[in-house]
Amino acid sequence: MEKSNKLSVLFSFKNEERNIRKLVKRTTDTCKNCLKDKIISEYEIIFVDDASDDKSNLILNELRTTNPNIQIHKTTRSFGNAECLRYAIKASSGDIICYLDADLQDPPELIYDLINEYQTHDVEVVYTRRLSRKGESKIKLLITWLGYKFLSAISSYPLLKNVGDFTLITRKVADQLVNLPEQLPYTRGIVQYFGYPFRVFEYNRDPRNDGADNSKFPIFNLKVWYGYFDRALLSTTDLPLKIFFPLSLILFSFSFLITLHVTLQIILNTAPPGWSSIILITLILAAFNFFSLGAISLYINNIYLTLRGRPDIIIRNIDK
């Protein structure tokens, strides 16, 4: 069956004036090659400028005069990469959508290969897995690896290892994604949650075009940790909420055993004066508080899942 093939290429960026010209040229050349080989019928390139304060926007507007397929959307202030990406997906009109970083670590030329993967196989998503990551320190790679291991261990659904944001999705997946009311979107996690058939394309990631030391996500920047780790954790698991109830039962059981021990001391008249009553009251109150917190956490978890608004199941197609 022939697949629809208008292509949307999406970039969310901030302060990339040293990369924009080369990025636009390489992306445009790739799209033209796709047109020449008839694997797409038309294309658009959407840039969401997350309130850059350099010359990125001026350069883009200059390049747009010679390429009407370029769109530039500038935010009022900095909202974050994930929020800008979700907006870009919503603003796109392509049948297939490819999003990648604007720092040229993800080679735009690979868009051609991702489209071939999509058209050759009956899938809705093509992920990319990084075989190597040039220009990144061993400390950053170690922390990233540990982060993937941790999220995979506690996630409520399977997560692919070492898969980045460079991804191709179909319009069906895009519509499902932008219709979620979920805040703090973790796009790569949400797309994997959907569970659509996929392929994984492996590649070697390049260093940043303007220098490896100018990392988009510096590993020791607290804003990066706050803006990435919390959304990844919230998007992939509800374990922090659910864990309170079994912990409360363990602590309640421990408190009960200590209470028996103290009671036995009182009966045998071996308890230190004044100690028994204080310990008993403290343990009873602590056990009650932990048990109440565990019960409340179950209800909060249900509210959280309801407000997140993810579908119970996802149907790819129906044959009648």
Side-chain angles (χ1 to χ4, degrees):
M1 183 177 71
E2 185 178 351
K3 298 182 179 181
S4 302
N5 56 0
K6 178 181 179 180
L7 171 66
S8 295
V9 183
L10 313 181
F11 296 101
S12 165
F13 75 95
K14 182 174 182 177
N15 296 337
E16 295 285 0
E17 63 179 4
R18 296 168 63 183
N19 297 320
I20 287 294
R21 291 188 185 277
K22 186 176 290 188
L23 174 67
V24 170
K25 184 181 186 309
R26 290 174 59 178
T27 304
T28 302
D29 288 346
T30 300
C31 291
K32 288 179 179 178
N33 286 336
C34 293
L35 284 172
K36 184 182 69 175
D37 293 343
K38 298 181 179 179
I39 62 173
I40 62 171
S41 57
E42 54 183 311
Y43 73 93
E44 63 182 1
I45 306 174
I46 299 178
F47 289 90
V48 180
D49 182 355
D50 194 23
S52 295
D53 53 16
D54 63 0
K55 296 180 181 179
S56 297
N57 200 263
L58 290 175
I59 296 171
L60 274 175
N61 274 288
E62 174 194 328
L63 296 172
R64 192 170 66 89
T65 59
T66 58
N67 188 347
N69 295 306
I70 294 176
Q71 298 181 30
I72 310 164
H73 302 246
K74 187 174 176 66
T75 62
T76 56
R77 63 170 178 83
S78 181
F79 287 91
N81 181 66
E83 284 74 13
C84 291
L85 175 58
R86 183 159 67 175
Y87 168 83
I89 293 173
K90 191 172 184 178
S92 67
S93 60
D95 304 297
I96 49 177
I97 298 161
C98 190
Y99 47 87
L100 60 160
D101 288 342
D103 55 14
L104 290 172
Q105 285 188 284
D106 302 323
E109 292 79 9
L110 295 183
I111 294 172
Y112 188 103
D113 300 289
L114 299 191
I115 296 173
N116 270 331
E117 284 287 314
Y118 158 71
Q119 293 188 336
T120 305
H121 304 88
D122 187 23
V123 297
E124 302 288 342
V125 183
V126 181
Y127 300 107
T128 58
R129 176 176 288 125
R130 299 159 292 197
L131 296 176
S132 65
R133 303 173 68 168
K134 300 175 185 176
E136 298 187 20
S137 68
K138 291 183 179 180
I139 295 177
K140 181 177 179 179
L141 293 176
L142 175 62
I143 293 175
T144 302
W145 180 81
L146 290 173
Y148 276 120
K149 293 287 287 185
F150 176 72
L151 287 177
S152 297
I154 67 172
S155 175
S156 56
Y157 54 90
L159 287 177
L160 296 172
K161 294 181 180 179
N162 207 26
V163 166
D165 289 323
F166 187 9
T167 306
L168 181 147
I169 60 176
T170 63
R171 173 52 54 185
K172 180 190 294 186
V173 180
D175 289 342
Q176 195 108 45
L177 183 63
V178 299
N179 286 330
L180 288 178
E182 189 169 335
Q183 297 298 304
L184 294 176
Y186 179 57
T187 306
R188 75 178 74 167
I190 296 173
V191 173
Q192 291 182 49
Y193 167 84
F194 290 156
Y196 283 106
F198 65 88
R199 295 280 295 177
V200 177
F201 183 86
E202 297 181 332
Y203 75 109
N204 294 302
R205 201 174 200 217
D206 293 333
R208 276 184 60 92
N209 178 66
D210 58 356
D213 59 330
N214 187 17
S215 175
K216 180 180 176 183
F217 296 111
I219 199 68
F220 296 113
N221 189 323
L222 290 179
K223 287 185 177 180
V224 172
W225 282 82
Y226 176 77
Y228 180 83
F229 185 74
D230 59 346
R231 70 177 69 234
L233 188 65
L234 288 171
S235 179
T236 56
T237 183
D238 54 1
L239 181 62
L241 281 172
K242 290 194 296 189
I243 201 171
F244 274 107
F245 192 71
L247 279 179
S248 71
L249 293 178
I250 294 172
L251 290 170
F252 188 84
S253 301
F254 179 74
S255 298
F256 179 73
L257 292 174
I258 296 296
T259 301
L260 289 179
H261 174 70
V262 172
T263 304
L264 184 62
Q265 282 186 321
I266 294 173
I267 294 172
L268 297 175
N269 199 26
T270 58
W275 180 82
S276 303
S277 58
I278 295 174
I279 290 297
L280 278 175
I281 293 172
T282 302
L283 288 176
I284 291 172
L285 289 176
F288 177 77
N289 286 336
F290 275 113
F291 189 78
S292 299
L293 182 61
I296 291 171
S297 69
L298 294 179
Y299 288 92
I300 293 176
N301 185 52
N302 189 50
I303 294 171
Y304 158 70
L305 294 175
T306 302
L307 292 177
R308 193 166 67 169
R310 293 193 185 181
D312 295 326
I313 62 171
I314 296 173
I315 303 298
R316 187 186 180 194
N317 51 51
I318 300 175
D319 298 324
K320 293 185 177 179

